[in-house]
Amino acid sequence: MDPKKPLLTDSHGGRIFEAARLLGRPWRDIIDFSANINPFGQPDGLKKHLFEQFSSTLHYPEEKAQSFTQALSQFYQVNADHFLPGAGSTVHIYLLARLLGLKGQNVIVGPAFSEYEAALKAAGANYVYVNALEKDNFLVNRRTLEDIFNQRPRVIFLANPANPTGQLIAEEIMEELLTETQAKKIYLVVDEAFIDFTDQPSLTPQIEKYPYLAILRSLTKIMAVPGLRLAYLVAAPDLVHQLWSQLGPWPLSSLAIAAGLYHLNAPFDQVALNQKILALAAALNFATLSISQSYPSRANYGLFKLRAPERVDELIHFFFQHNLLVRDARNFPGLRPGWLRLAVRPAQEIETLAQLVEKFHA
């Protein structure tokens, strides 16, 4: 099997186990810049806590993950019927596409995570992309809002921060978007999968003000446990009730619930984490300066435009042969071959990347 093929045609990052199999190496030997996971790893004490909870897997988990939704309610001071747990936000994206996507035009604000489009396609829904522009450093601005509303959407899908660009939506732009969508009864789906890595707060505490808002929240990135599949949706109770009817029982495993409770009972310092992420991001930008132009990012990943885009396949394969994965960003609508998304990783791994960049040029 050609080891380049799964990396160059993949719609997602994080395929470390497949890479390990192709390379014939233990997965622990591989450095993964393709998945945007907390570079500081899992919370202290989480592994011990989950080991202590392992015997709970002798029984079925809570039918609706009630202890987790109650903990979310207390954490955000929002009624529990606003929360819908799920094994990853992708579950919620597909549910929303089936429930809301068929009611009219859908707008995806890009460049964007591929599963919004995949979910709408699977539901048989109409959709169109409105892309933030490179000349604006991929910022969603008032021109973007005008283009969005010119499409007369029924549902808008966007991420804050955006994936793959890492750009945050300015608070005044978000306020305009919320005001306009609620007034026109347009559903706004805001994916906050990476908001915890920024200095911007979640919209979750405001959910009771916005009946046409749905927020996607993921804990697997910030906790560095993507293998556990742990997320929740926040929306008006009537929408949550309709989604529950399609989701079915046992949305979370016992260990996922235990991990979620552990996180909520041991809150982290978001401001301090953001500062450390920005410092590592600066090192990552410097490490790749000779081969790419980096774009401003407020998240734990960034978008990089190669100076020699025609060598993108060669570069990705070179990294792969040296046990390092990067995310080819060519399949994000609005981008082209020659773009990479790189996750912020620990300093030692960034140094390894820098050495490989130098070796590639030699």
Side-chain angles (χ1 to χ4, degrees):
M1 182 186 294
D2 181 356
K4 289 191 286 185
K5 186 176 180 181
L7 298 177
L8 299 180
T9 61
D10 183 25
S11 61
H12 296 288
R15 295 176 68 172
I16 192 168
F17 299 111
E18 180 177 351
R21 186 174 69 253
L22 290 170
L23 290 166
R25 302 188 66 87
W27 65 266
R28 289 182 177 84
D29 290 349
I30 297 173
I31 297 175
D32 190 3
F33 278 85
S34 73
N36 308 326
I37 307 304
N38 192 335
F40 301 103
Q42 298 168 349
D44 292 338
L46 177 62
K47 183 176 181 180
K48 179 176 182 292
H49 176 71
L50 294 182
F51 180 79
E52 292 170 349
Q53 298 296 316
F54 189 78
S55 60
S56 67
T57 61
L58 286 166
H59 308 283
Y60 282 95
E62 295 171 319
E63 187 175 2
K64 291 192 172 184
Q66 291 93 331
S67 62
F68 182 53
T69 55
Q70 286 295 330
L72 288 169
S73 174
Q74 294 174 15
F75 185 83
Y76 288 110
Q77 294 297 292
V78 171
N79 196 290
D81 57 8
H82 285 276
F83 297 98
L84 179 73
S89 291
T90 303
V91 172
H92 298 132
I93 293 169
Y94 277 77
L95 288 176
L96 288 167
R98 290 199 299 269
L99 186 64
L100 303 177
L102 297 175
K103 296 181 179 181
Q105 179 69 286
N106 299 273
V107 167
I108 303 171
V109 181
F113 180 48
S114 63
E115 291 303 330
Y116 310 139
E117 177 180 349
L120 291 167
K121 274 184 177 179
N126 296 320
Y127 64 90
V128 64
Y129 276 92
V130 172
N131 290 323
L133 301 180
E134 181 183 356
K135 68 178 184 179
D136 298 325
N137 283 329
F138 299 103
L139 276 170
V140 172
N141 53 28
R142 287 188 174 85
R143 180 210 58 80
T144 319
L145 297 192
E146 182 179 347
D147 290 348
I148 290 170
F149 289 112
N150 282 343
Q151 298 295 328
R152 300 183 182 276
R154 175 59 175 159
V155 186
I156 301 168
F157 290 84
L158 62 83
N160 190 39
N163 179 12
T165 68
Q167 284 284 28
L168 280 169
I169 300 174
E171 292 186 23
E172 62 271 18
I173 298 295
M174 181 62 80
E175 187 62 36
E176 290 182 30
L177 185 56
L178 286 166
T179 300
E180 190 81 0
T181 53
Q182 302 310 294
K184 294 181 176 180
K185 298 184 179 180
I186 298 169
Y187 281 99
L188 176 63
V189 180
V190 179
D191 188 342
E192 294 186 343
F194 300 101
I195 197 78
D196 292 325
F197 296 101
T198 77
D199 57 1
Q200 196 172 102
S202 170
L203 292 172
T204 298
Q206 303 182 55
I207 191 62
E208 293 173 339
K209 294 165 49 180
Y210 301 113
Y212 291 90
L213 172 64
I215 306 165
L216 302 175
R217 299 283 283 127
S218 172
L219 293 183
T220 57
K221 284 78 172 176
I222 192 65
M223 297 183 70
V225 289
L228 271 183
R229 315 308 302 138
L230 174 59
Y232 57 95
L233 174 143
V234 193
D238 60 338
L239 179 57
V240 170
H241 178 74
Q242 293 177 68
L243 293 169
W244 261 124
S245 68
Q246 298 188 41
L247 184 59
W250 309 304
L252 295 177
S253 70
S254 299
L255 292 183
I257 293 171
L261 294 175
Y262 187 87
H263 174 77
L264 294 172
N265 289 321
F268 63 97
D269 187 335
Q270 184 170 339
V271 174
L273 175 64
N274 176 251
Q275 292 303 310
K276 291 191 289 186
I277 291 291
L278 290 176
L280 286 175
L284 177 61
N285 293 345
F286 184 77
T288 57
L289 187 61
S290 64
I291 61 168
S292 66
Q293 171 191 353
S294 61
Y295 285 79
S297 172
R298 303 277 294 281
N300 61 320
Y301 51 89
L303 186 62
F304 296 78
K305 184 179 182 180
L306 294 184
R307 303 188 191 281
E310 70 279 1
R311 299 188 70 186
V312 60
D313 291 359
E314 180 187 355
L315 177 65
I316 292 173
H317 184 58
F318 175 81
F319 284 148
F320 181 74
Q321 292 297 331
H322 289 83
N323 308 317
L324 188 144
L325 306 182
V326 296
R327 173 65 159 90
D328 185 351
R330 75 181 66 184
N331 66 344
F332 286 99
L335 302 182
R336 303 174 299 280
W339 297 74
L340 301 176
R341 189 197 67 194
L342 300 177
V344 172
R345 297 298 305 156
Q348 184 176 355
E349 295 184 10
I350 293 174
E351 177 58 29
T352 299
L353 176 65
Q355 293 170 2
L356 288 178
V357 167
E358 185 177 349
K359 186 174 181 180
F360 182 74
H361 274 306

